[in-house]
Amino acid sequence: MSRVRIAALLPEHAEQVLAVYQAGIDEGDATFETRAPDWTAFDKAKLPGHRFVALDGDGRVLGWVAASAVSDRCAYAGVVEHSVYVHPEARGRGVARALLDALIASTEAGGIWTIQSGIFPENTASLALHERAGFRVIGTRERIGRHHGVWRDVVLVERRSPLLK
């Protein structure tokens, strides 16, 4: 694998991050979204201390990971939902795993006890990646939403921190 560096996701990465996001959206099995948001909306929705990019040796964004709060209720202060996207040309090189590892490290350092996500069951590569990174399947939310006019299921996965006491 060529050199990959994990760094904080910053405004200077916005254009490339949103392009990677849109590429994942366009493939059809990553999200219910149909268009990547603008940078202002993306930036507002993601927790500043828990978002990273993978950069190649020339500083190009190969992928990104970011977490969002799941609720404003104090009982859920340690629970986040995450997304991870990798440029189609960078897949199979360990980029997603490096990004997940960075997210796990930052959330554990920040007192987060649960990272969760909903993954389309057809996205078998993402399900396998998450299993290898210590996530477990909680269950399937059947027909949870319509995507391009078709009801879709979502597999709910979570990783509980082993630091949880």
Side-chain angles (χ1 to χ4, degrees):
M1 175 169 80
S2 61
R3 191 173 140 245
V4 174
R5 180 173 58 91
I6 304 300
L9 191 162
L10 303 171
E12 66 196 51
H13 303 122
E15 183 178 339
Q16 293 180 74
V17 163
L18 295 176
V20 169
Y21 193 8
Q22 189 63 53
I25 290 169
D26 291 346
E27 289 177 329
D29 282 331
T31 180
F32 283 103
E33 301 300 328
T34 56
R35 286 188 56 183
D38 65 20
W39 176 250
T40 301
F42 181 95
D43 185 49
K44 183 178 179 183
K46 308 303 182 199
L47 297 170
H50 306 294
R51 53 186 180 181
F52 301 93
V53 289
L55 304 170
D56 71 8
D58 295 324
R60 287 184 297 252
V61 172
L62 301 175
W64 61 271
V65 67
S68 303
V70 299
S71 175
D72 290 336
R73 295 179 62 196
C74 62
Y76 295 101
V79 182
V80 297
E81 183 168 6
H82 82 288
S83 298
V84 59
Y85 285 80
V86 176
H87 190 286
E89 295 175 8
R91 293 187 187 145
R93 296 170 41 192
V95 172
R97 181 58 191 267
L99 287 164
L100 275 180
D101 288 348
L103 178 67
I104 290 166
S106 76
T107 55
E108 291 201 346
I112 303 295
W113 57 80
T114 301
I115 307 169
Q116 68 182 34
S117 190
I119 302 171
F120 289 138
E122 297 82 5
N123 194 343
T124 56
S126 184
L127 289 168
L129 162 73
H130 283 83
E131 182 180 0
R132 288 190 306 271
F135 287 75
R136 66 186 177 117
V137 171
I138 299 302
T140 300
R141 301 179 79 189
E142 296 176 352
R143 297 171 47 99
I144 193 69
R146 292 177 68 83
H147 183 241
H148 300 295
V150 177
W151 286 104
R152 300 286 302 262
D153 297 347
V154 169
V155 177
L156 183 60
V157 298
E158 75 172 15
R159 181 189 182 278
R160 302 295 302 267
S161 171
L163 303 177
L164 181 68
K165 301 284 182 205

